[in-house]
Amino acid sequence: MASESGSVIIKITGDDTDFKEKVNGLGKTVQSGVGKLGNVAKTAAVAVGGAMVAMGGYAIKVGSDFESAMSNVAAISGATGDDLQMLEDTAREMGATTQFSATEAANALSYMALAGWDANQSASALPSVLNLAVASGMDLAAASDMVTDYMSAFGMSCEQSGYFADMLAYAQGNANTTAELLGESYKNCAANMAAAGQDVETTTSLLAMMANQGLKGSEAGTALAAVMRDLTAKMSDGAIKIGDTSVAVQDANGNYRDLTDILQDVESATNGMGDAEKAAALSSTFTADSIKGLNLILNAGVSNAADFENQLRNSGGTAENMANVMNDNLAGAMKSLQSRAEAFGIAIYESFSVQLKDAVNTAADALGSLTDAFETGGIEGAFNQLGILAQQGIQTIIAQAPAMTQAAAQMINNFASGLAEGIPNVLAQALPLILQFTESLRENAGTLIDAGLNLILQLAQGIANSLPTLIEYIPQIVTNIAGIINDNAPTILATGVQVITTLALGLIQALPVLIASLPNIILAIVNVFSAFNWISLGQLIVNGIKNGVALLGTALKSAGTAAANAFKAISFNCSMRQW
């Protein structure tokens, strides 16, 4: 009786070579992919590291520049503590919210400090000066210098800086001059005009009248100051004589009248005079260097100067409005972007500026000690000191290692926390925009594709339309090419013979090497041919030829039909003529 227990053995045989090759190929693919991923990660790490180094260098540059500018403000103004902090905060705010950088704002504060303005006055005036700089196109520091200089010259308080900036901006926008040119004019007349009781509005309106007729800048200032000088020099009992008319220069209190009012009376006194009579009447008071400016003002009309003066007195808000308009473009946006980038760099710099300054000071002390050691002990002394410095440096690193490690860990943790908290916010804002973009792209994709297809069709149509012209020119082109060959045949043949001779000599000289390399050449050719799937390639070639012949047959058929129709038409026309 046979046992019921036992085992069943099933043996499966077959060729597993292809399976093994595919598994090995998969393993190599995975290994290659992992290697490439590692290379990508390495490249990304290098790029990130380079970007961090560049960011650190940029932060040190802009941060140290701002720090230096604020040190200059502190030295000139004498501000300390809360006042200095207020000035720094104001400069940084302007740098973060306007097209000017924090460093440029700090430089403007330096000029205000030079004018004797305190911290509160400077901080409150800075926005107005920034608006003037934008509206006038001036450098911020130059605008600040001009505002402080000529406000002081005209006896204006720093609280009027906004008004002064508005007035200059209005004059630039409504007369043939600029704020900068007016500053050049003020340089030569502000002190004298202010001493004669003339305010900045009167002075500016008269300068504008001269500027409208081509007399600008310092020359205009000199001419206006000369007018005031001649009025004073020729004044008798508070008046001057213009012809037979007495024109009051002083009021009842012995003060100068407004120059515009005086010139209106001068203008009235010359009404009805001939050119020569008027010139004689004016020359009795005014000299050659003042008469040219006076004539320009009279030509413009003193009443127009008076109207412009009133407009200047009501020009509030002009500088800010002009600045907003002039910044509403790509160039303004780019300047604002640069200012915000600097603000970011300054913030980064301040996070490590103390440690950086300590490191620089330590390096300076070390170089000083090396210099002293070299001067006293020569090369040997310098090397001994270098060893001492190295030992001290290592000890410092060892002592600071825990703190440095803790600080680095804290920075990484803060960075990670910032990413964790910031990414959802970024995605929450970015994803709706991306969704809108893709929806818009989907809505307009048809139009874009239609435009592209239309371009291709128009290109094809253009080529088709040009075929008759192309056919017309081909015979001549072929004839010219043949002529070139024929004309130069002797030279071509001679050169060809020389080339063949040179190659033959080179081949003869290279025969030993060629024979030695023949087995490798044959093997390479065999390998190349064996790499192709000739059956598949042959099928592709046959199918290509087949399709090409079919298309050619269709084209020939169409062309034959067209030709037959053309011949029929010709025959028909001939028959009609015979008939």
Side-chain angles (χ1 to χ4, degrees):
M1 184 174 168
S3 173
E4 295 181 0
S5 63
S7 61
V8 177
I9 299 174
I10 301 175
K11 184 177 182 181
I12 300 175
T13 62
D15 188 358
D16 61 351
T17 303
D18 185 59
F19 175 74
K20 289 180 179 178
E21 288 179 352
K22 290 182 179 179
V23 170
N24 290 334
L26 179 61
K28 292 179 180 178
T29 301
V30 172
Q31 183 179 5
S32 174
V34 171
K36 290 180 179 179
L37 183 61
N39 291 334
V40 170
K42 181 180 179 180
T43 302
V46 171
V48 171
M52 292 181 68
V53 170
M55 176 64 73
Y58 175 76
I60 291 173
K61 175 66 172 63
V62 298
S64 60
D65 286 348
F66 177 68
E67 187 177 48
S68 177
M70 285 308 305
S71 296
N72 193 42
V73 172
I76 296 172
S77 67
T80 58
D82 293 341
D83 286 343
L84 183 59
Q85 186 62 50
M86 178 183 63
L87 291 174
E88 181 177 335
D89 292 343
T90 301
R92 293 184 64 168
E93 180 184 358
M94 295 299 102
T97 58
T98 71
Q99 72 172 53
F100 294 105
S101 68
T103 301
E104 289 175 318
N107 290 332
L109 290 173
S110 294
Y111 285 100
M112 296 178 187
L114 285 170
W117 294 7
D118 63 28
N120 288 312
Q121 293 168 336
S122 299
S124 62
L126 186 58
S128 299
V129 175
L130 264 64
N131 286 331
L132 174 62
V134 175
S136 64
M138 294 177 66
D139 175 78
L140 177 55
S144 178
D145 189 29
M146 188 182 77
V147 168
T148 54
D149 283 352
Y150 300 120
M151 284 183 65
S152 299
F154 283 106
M156 301 174 70
S157 66
C158 57
E159 287 76 18
Q160 294 176 283
S161 58
Y163 170 75
F164 186 66
D166 289 333
M167 188 203 67
L168 288 172
Y170 186 88
Q172 174 166 320
N174 295 276
N176 189 16
T177 188
T178 65
E180 190 168 8
L181 284 172
L182 286 171
E184 291 295 316
S185 298
Y186 292 153
K187 186 183 298 183
N188 289 356
C189 71
N192 292 341
M193 295 295 286
Q198 307 304 314
D199 59 21
V200 68
E201 296 88 353
T202 297
T203 303
T204 304
S205 67
L206 296 174
L207 290 170
M209 295 303 105
M210 288 188 279
N212 288 340
Q213 298 173 82
L215 189 62
K216 309 175 186 182
S218 59
E219 190 177 359
T222 299
L224 187 59
V227 170
M228 201 73 240
R229 179 202 64 204
D230 290 345
L231 285 171
T232 304
K234 299 298 177 67
M235 181 174 58
S236 177
D237 295 329
I240 60 171
K241 291 286 286 184
I242 301 294
D244 296 330
T245 304
S246 178
V247 175
V249 176
Q250 294 179 356
D251 60 16
N253 297 320
N255 297 317
Y256 283 97
R257 296 172 63 203
D258 184 82
L259 183 55
T260 305
D261 295 338
I262 297 173
L263 295 180
Q264 280 182 323
D265 291 344
V266 171
E267 185 179 45
S268 298
T270 59
N271 284 341
M273 291 183 178
D275 293 341
E277 185 182 6
K278 179 179 179 181
L282 292 175
S283 64
S284 64
T285 298
F286 300 100
T287 57
D289 56 347
S290 66
I291 197 82
K292 62 179 180 181
L294 176 64
N295 281 329
L296 290 175
I297 294 171
L298 295 177
N299 290 341
V302 182
S303 61
N304 290 330
D307 289 342
F308 195 71
E309 181 181 327
N310 289 328
Q311 294 170 26
L312 291 174
R313 297 184 189 278
N314 295 280
S315 58
T318 301
E320 183 177 3
N321 292 336
M322 287 180 66
N324 289 337
V325 172
M326 294 177 73
N327 275 334
D328 189 18
N329 50 55
L330 178 60
M334 290 299 295
K335 290 178 181 177
S336 296
L337 177 62
Q338 291 171 0
S339 296
R340 283 159 177 75
E342 181 181 287
F344 181 54
I346 292 171
I348 294 175
Y349 170 76
E350 289 187 342
S351 67
F352 60 78
S353 61
V354 175
Q355 294 85 349
L356 185 62
K357 282 184 282 189
D358 289 344
V360 172
N361 289 332
T362 300
D365 292 340
L367 287 174
S369 66
L370 278 175
T371 302
D372 294 339
F374 180 77
E375 291 176 348
T376 57
I379 294 294
E380 184 178 355
F383 272 102
N384 289 336
Q385 182 62 27
L386 186 62
I388 294 171
L389 292 173
Q391 183 179 3
Q392 292 174 349
I394 293 171
Q395 290 174 349
T396 301
I397 292 172
I398 293 173
Q400 295 294 328
M404 292 170 63
T405 304
Q406 184 177 1
Q410 183 64 40
M411 183 177 69
I412 294 172
N413 289 333
N414 291 340
F415 181 71
S417 299
L419 281 179
E421 295 174 3
I423 286 177
N425 294 330
V426 172
L427 290 178
Q429 297 178 25
L431 289 176
L433 295 176
I434 295 172
L435 178 61
Q436 292 176 10
F437 173 74
T438 55
E439 289 175 348
S440 175
L441 186 63
R442 183 178 180 181
E443 292 173 1
N444 295 283
T447 303
L448 184 63
I449 293 172
D450 289 343
L453 293 176
N454 184 59
L455 175 63
I456 295 172
L457 290 174
Q458 293 299 325
L459 179 62
Q461 186 62 50
I463 294 172
N465 293 339
S466 300
L467 281 176
T469 304
L470 182 63
I471 293 170
E472 178 183 349
Y473 279 93
I474 283 177
Q476 187 58 45
I477 293 171
V478 171
T479 301
N480 290 337
I481 294 173
I484 292 170
I485 296 173
N486 183 66
D487 294 342
N488 295 277
T491 304
I492 294 173
L493 290 174
T495 304
V497 170
Q498 185 177 358
V499 170
I500 293 171
T501 303
T502 302
L503 291 175
L505 290 174
L507 184 61
I508 292 170
Q509 294 172 356
L511 275 176
V513 178
L514 180 63
I515 294 171
S517 303
L518 193 60
N520 293 331
I521 295 173
I522 295 172
L523 180 61
I525 294 172
V526 171
N527 290 336
V528 169
F529 272 84
S530 62
F532 285 100
N533 188 337
W534 290 101
I535 296 176
S536 175
L537 183 61
Q539 289 176 347
L540 289 175
I541 293 173
V542 171
N543 289 335
I545 294 173
K546 179 181 178 182
N547 293 334
V549 169
L551 290 173
L552 181 61
T554 302
L556 289 174
K557 182 179 179 181
S558 300
T561 302
N565 292 334
F567 279 116
K568 287 180 181 178
I570 293 170
S571 300
F572 178 75
N573 290 334
C574 292
S575 300
M576 290 294 292
R577 286 179 187 155
Q578 292 174 356
W579 183 80

